[in-house]
Amino acid sequence: MRRKNIGEIIFKNLSLICSLLIIITVGAIFYELIIASIPSINKFGWKFLIETIWDPVAEHFGALPSIYGTLITSLIALILGFPISVGIAIFLAEICPYYLKRPLSFIIELLGAIPSIIYGMWGLFTLAPILQLKVGPFLNKYLGFTPLFQGYPMGVGFLTAGIVLAIMIIPTISSISREILLAVPREQREGALALGMTQWEMIWKIVLGNAKSGILAAGILGLGRALGETMAVTMVIGNSPQISLSLFSPGYTISSTIANEFTEAVGKLHLSTLIELALILFFITFFTIAFTRYFIIKRIERR
Amino acid sequence: MNYKIRKLINKIMISICFFSFLVGAFFLFWILGDLFIKGLSSINLSLFIELPKPPGVPGGGVANAIVGSLILAIIAGIIGIPIGVLAGVYIVEYGNNKLAWWTRFISEVLSGIPTIIIGVFIYILIVVPMKRFSALAGGVALSIIMIPIITKATEESLKMVPNSVREAAYALGAPKWRTIIKVVIPSGSSGIITGIMAALARAMGETAPLLFTSLNNSFWSLRLDQPIASLTVTIYNYATSPYKEWKSIAWASSFVLAMIVLILNIFAKYYARRKTYS
């Protein structure tokens, strides 16, 4: 009897420790980032968030261009990617014939399996030239009166990064939305159809009506993915710390600033500011994901 | 509303949904097609057996980077698989408490934290104290990315194991821990293996956390305390270089990387179909 108990104690505690390790890791990430950002926080304070100059040579650092780039590229990604993702989810959950559901879902899942660096290669060598030579001039000609499409398209910039991100977040949003659509009870659909609704009216009023908060959450999780994406964006954003309304102009995001400058940061202060940028990104993504996950988990557990 | 108009709206909206799917599939085939055309045409034997050469010198390969990526994935697997699986076991088997809820919640949050932040974290935690970039640091960073994926998969598949199986083992006098190791985990193994494969594929495709943990190395290196080359970082360096030969090596390496990742994913899918219980 005794030996069995020892085995039980060891195994239970081992799995307990592994569980704790996950929580400790996230805590440690938070702690280390704060400690390492202290020099930067002391030097710049709150002004770091609104300062627009990023000049490593003069050791003058402001985070606003990076924050602006992160937000604007993610916003473009969401505007382009969210409707398409919801359309895909509806197609896969409601419309597509049963025997095609698995293979067609797999196609969209594969989109999520492609490594970020390959999205970057494709964005830089295939998409950027097309945007520079064809789409950019077209947008400039017909929409150039708005500040968004002014200037000469260079191929790389906010728009290119936004489009690549839009493709990258499609699998995230559509797979979560699809799960949520599938969770809507079958009887409600049958009832709606029996009352004489068309298939679309049933989807719109019954299925989406039931699933809208879940789909919203899926969108926010996709946004979280876009906010933190590094390699693909770094390769197509143009890497220039500036704030410009034009979507054609090159920019910087938090993650691409870190990716580009981290190994080249010579001064202690420069490194510390980059770590503070990482801390800001950690805050933004942690709270978006935590808020949404909490929201979704609560809802699903109540079902 | 008129019946005809309602029917028309129905058709239009359903076509829009179908069209959205086509857009998604179109981009997948465009990217993969591009990889095939540009990657396959630059693939040759020297890619797999030679070391990188300076630009201008013909030939040159990424043999060290392929091996480096494998080594990094192995380190990440050795650290990440047991932690991920055991944490999943804790959540399902011992998890009638607040801690299990928090583990699950934090692990889901961890899976969404940008990987570059994990790179910065490992830089502060391992690279600075060791005073050098190393394969070990890269592997640990990748293991942190793998853990939440494996935990989630383990949790999902152990939940599918019916309680009657556990009860049968208890009835035969097996203690809980032996029941879990001998009965519950094997019963859920297809789902766990799926998760491990998916996590390995994810780790092999990561670049950002390696930029300042394992860095890069243009020579053979099997030492864990030295910088090591990886496919992804090599692709990044070559693709952003101004040399034409290097760019074509980057395409060829991307093709190789995509094949590894896709094959791992397809294997994972295959295992997921062989569910013991459903």
Side-chain angles (χ1 to χ4, degrees), chain A residues 114 116-130 160 163-165 167 235-236, chain B residues 26-35 38 251 254:
Chain A
I114 296 176
S116 156
I117 188 91
I118 290 177
Y119 276 104
M121 290 278 289
W122 176 81
L124 183 59
F125 295 119
T126 305
L127 185 65
I130 291 176
T160 319
I163 293 173
V164 172
L165 282 176
I167 305 169
M235 289 173 83
V236 299
Chain B
F26 168 73
F27 279 111
L28 176 76
F29 289 117
W30 189 4
I31 294 166
L32 290 184
D34 230 31
L35 259 183
K38 293 183 185 158
W251 275 110
S254 296

Side-chain angles (χ1 to χ4, degrees), chain A:
Chain A
M1 272 310 273
R2 237 195 132 73
R3 282 181 71 186
K4 281 177 189 170
N5 281 339
I6 288 173
E8 178 67 25
I9 288 165
I10 291 173
F11 186 74
K12 186 177 177 180
N13 284 314
L14 208 59
S15 65
L16 174 75
I17 288 166
C18 290
S19 243
L20 283 172
L21 263 178
I22 295 178
I23 297 174
I24 291 168
T25 304
V26 176
I29 294 175
F30 183 55
Y31 175 79
E32 294 279 13
L33 290 181
I34 286 192
I35 296 294
S37 326
I38 282 177
S40 159
I41 293 172
N42 282 342
K43 178 88 196 275
F44 301 109
W46 288 109
K47 269 176 69 189
F48 184 65
L49 294 174
I50 48 164
E51 191 74 56
T52 55
I53 297 163
W54 183 269
D55 184 358
V57 181
E59 293 214 317
H60 191 112
F61 298 103
L64 198 60
S66 301
I67 296 175
Y68 174 80
T70 301
L71 295 181
I72 205 83
T73 49
S74 305
L75 193 67
I76 298 171
L78 212 54
I79 290 171
L80 297 176
F82 184 68
I84 294 178
S85 308
V86 175
I88 293 174
I90 294 174
F91 174 74
L92 290 176
E94 307 287 331
I95 298 164
C96 146
Y98 184 76
Y99 59 93
L100 283 176
K101 274 188 183 173
R102 262 176 172 270
L104 296 188
S105 305
F106 187 54
I107 286 181
I108 300 298
E109 277 168 37
L110 273 187
L111 212 47
I114 296 176
S116 156
I117 188 91
I118 290 177
Y119 276 104
M121 290 278 289
W122 176 81
L124 183 59
F125 295 119
T126 305
L127 185 65
I130 291 176
L131 282 175
Q132 182 181 19
L133 300 173
K134 305 229 166 76
V135 181
F138 176 83
L139 288 172
N140 183 262
K141 194 171 165 193
Y142 293 102
L143 293 166
F145 58 89
T146 61
L148 294 181
F149 299 103
Q150 269 166 14
Y152 182 73
M154 285 185 274
V156 293
F158 292 126
L159 184 63
T160 319
I163 293 173
V164 172
L165 282 176
I167 305 169
M168 295 184 78
I169 63 174
I170 283 175
T172 312
I173 304 180
S174 62
S175 73
I176 300 172
S177 307
R178 196 194 55 173
E179 296 295 316
I180 285 162
L181 293 181
L182 288 174
V184 176
R186 216 187 141 86
E187 294 80 3
Q188 293 198 17
R189 293 167 214 230
E190 284 164 0
L193 290 175
L195 287 173
M197 285 190 183
T198 62
Q199 191 182 12
W200 173 254
E201 284 165 345
M202 181 270 285
I203 293 171
W204 181 250
K205 289 180 184 151
I206 308 297
V207 180
L208 287 183
N210 254 319
K212 57 178 183 259
S213 57
I215 290 176
L216 184 73
I220 299 175
L221 288 178
L223 176 69
R225 173 105 205 267
L227 290 169
E229 176 48 45
T230 309
M231 297 323 292
V233 173
T234 305
M235 289 173 83
V236 299
I237 189 119
N239 298 321
S240 149
Q242 56 174 354
I243 297 174
S244 162
L245 263 183
S246 169
L247 301 183
F248 292 144
S249 54
Y252 234 169
T253 67
I254 294 179
S255 53
S256 58
T257 308
I258 302 171
N260 265 314
E261 297 186 9
F262 204 81
T263 40
E264 283 155 23
V266 264
K268 268 224 163 84
L269 188 64
H270 189 187
L271 199 63
S272 176
T273 55
L274 290 172
I275 295 171
E276 192 180 348
L277 277 183
L279 181 67
I280 294 169
L281 184 62
F282 180 82
F283 265 121
I284 299 174
T285 49
F286 185 92
F287 285 109
T288 7
I289 303 162
F291 176 76
T292 330
R293 282 287 180 197
Y294 187 74
F295 197 56
I296 290 183
I297 288 170
K298 278 263 151 141
R299 280 186 67 86
I300 288 171
E301 277 177 352
R302 219 181 290 150
R303 276 210 178 110

Side-chain angles (χ1 to χ4, degrees), chain B residues 14-250:
Chain B
I14 287 193
S15 313
I16 288 177
C17 291
F18 176 60
F19 182 72
S20 318
F21 171 78
L22 285 186
V23 171
F26 168 73
F27 279 111
L28 176 76
F29 289 117
W30 189 4
I31 294 166
L32 290 184
D34 230 31
L35 259 183
F36 264 91
I37 293 165
K38 293 183 185 158
L40 215 51
S41 61
S42 352
I43 272 194
N44 48 36
L45 188 65
S46 62
L47 189 78
F48 298 97
I49 54 171
E50 281 181 31
L51 288 179
K53 293 213 169 117
V57 181
V62 292
N64 60 337
I66 295 174
V67 174
S69 272
L70 290 177
I71 291 176
L72 286 168
I74 291 170
I75 302 171
I78 291 174
I79 302 168
I81 293 169
I83 296 179
V85 171
L86 281 170
V89 166
Y90 183 80
I91 293 172
V92 180
E93 305 293 329
Y94 297 105
N96 274 323
N97 53 25
K98 270 253 150 73
L99 181 66
W101 189 90
W102 276 103
T103 307
R104 194 170 56 173
F105 179 59
I106 292 291
S107 146
E108 299 215 329
V109 172
L110 178 60
S111 71
I113 288 176
T115 55
I116 189 145
I117 290 178
I118 291 166
V120 172
F121 169 63
I122 295 299
Y123 176 86
I124 302 170
L125 194 75
I126 299 180
V127 175
V128 172
M130 273 178 70
K131 296 198 177 67
R132 65 161 78 107
F133 300 101
S134 65
L136 184 70
V140 174
L142 293 182
S143 77
I144 296 179
I145 292 159
M146 286 177 71
I147 287 170
I149 304 174
I150 299 174
T151 302
K152 178 96 193 151
T154 307
E155 188 201 334
E156 298 285 330
S157 55
L158 293 192
K159 266 190 198 157
M160 303 263 260
V161 178
N163 257 332
S164 52
V165 173
R166 296 186 181 87
E167 282 155 10
Y170 295 148
L172 290 171
K176 191 169 186 177
W177 68 283
R178 283 191 72 91
T179 307
I180 294 170
I181 293 176
K182 294 274 183 184
V183 180
V184 180
I185 291 180
S187 299
S189 64
S190 65
I192 299 176
I193 291 171
T194 299
I196 291 173
M197 295 266 204
L200 277 174
R202 178 83 199 279
M204 297 226 27
E206 278 296 340
T207 318
L210 299 180
L211 287 176
F212 26 84
T213 52
S214 65
L215 203 68
N216 203 349
N217 196 331
S218 33
F219 306 101
W220 276 112
S221 171
L222 299 174
R223 290 186 52 176
L224 299 189
D225 62 340
Q226 293 292 334
I228 197 166
S230 57
L231 263 180
T232 47
V233 176
T234 306
I235 294 171
Y236 178 59
N237 289 338
Y238 277 28
T240 49
S241 80
Y243 315 110
K244 205 166 155 261
E245 311 91 321
W246 277 21
K247 281 180 186 164
S248 76
I249 292 183

